[in-house]
Amino acid sequence: RAFSSGGEDFGRMKFKCTLSSMGVTWLERFVPIFDKMGKELSVLFTPETLHLVQGAADSGGLELHADLLVKEAFDEYKIASNNEDKIAVKLETATLYRVLRGLVGSEAT
């Protein structure tokens, strides 16, 4: 169960990773909850932690968050940015959930 990013280059930001089987397991638990609660999810990648946050405005009044340790969630992880090696993105929860189900489904076949 591995997901690899293509080493995306966002201006002065670089990110490359391979999601571990433990990372997939944790995301399988959290992403459906985020998807049921709202449409958007903020993701903050730091050198040591992956933060998933859904604000009260996106989740009907509740603020949800999950933090995953990089060393447990990824087999390979490289990050670089001018912002103390932190990269933040907003994702649509439905899209993330669909990609995750595709990963899990491809491993089952």
Side-chain angles (χ1 to χ4, degrees), residues 55-79:
D58 293 321
S59 64
L62 297 174
E63 185 166 309
L64 307 171
H65 73 273
D67 299 329
L68 305 176
L69 294 175
V70 166
K71 64 183 178 183
E72 294 177 2
F74 297 94
D75 289 330
E76 178 187 354
Y77 187 86
K78 296 178 184 177
I79 188 170

Side-chain angles (χ1 to χ4, degrees), residues 13-95:
M13 296 181 282
K14 291 186 180 184
F15 179 71
K16 183 177 181 178
C17 71
T18 302
L19 197 59
S20 70
S21 59
M22 179 60 74
V24 172
T25 299
W26 281 110
L27 289 175
E28 280 181 302
R29 292 180 185 190
F30 293 123
V31 171
I33 296 167
F34 287 112
D35 186 45
K36 287 180 184 179
M37 296 302 293
K39 294 181 181 181
E40 287 191 334
L41 176 67
S42 297
V43 181
L44 176 63
F45 298 94
T46 72
E48 292 86 26
T49 310
L50 169 66
H51 302 276
L52 306 170
V53 179
Q54 195 169 54
D58 293 321
S59 64
L62 297 174
E63 185 166 309
L64 307 171
H65 73 273
D67 299 329
L68 305 176
L69 294 175
V70 166
K71 64 183 178 183
E72 294 177 2
F74 297 94
D75 289 330
E76 178 187 354
Y77 187 86
K78 296 178 184 177
I79 188 170
S81 77
N82 288 340
N83 186 29
E84 299 174 3
D85 293 335
K86 296 176 185 176
I87 299 174
V89 295
K90 271 206 181 253
L91 301 174
E92 291 181 358
T93 56
T95 303

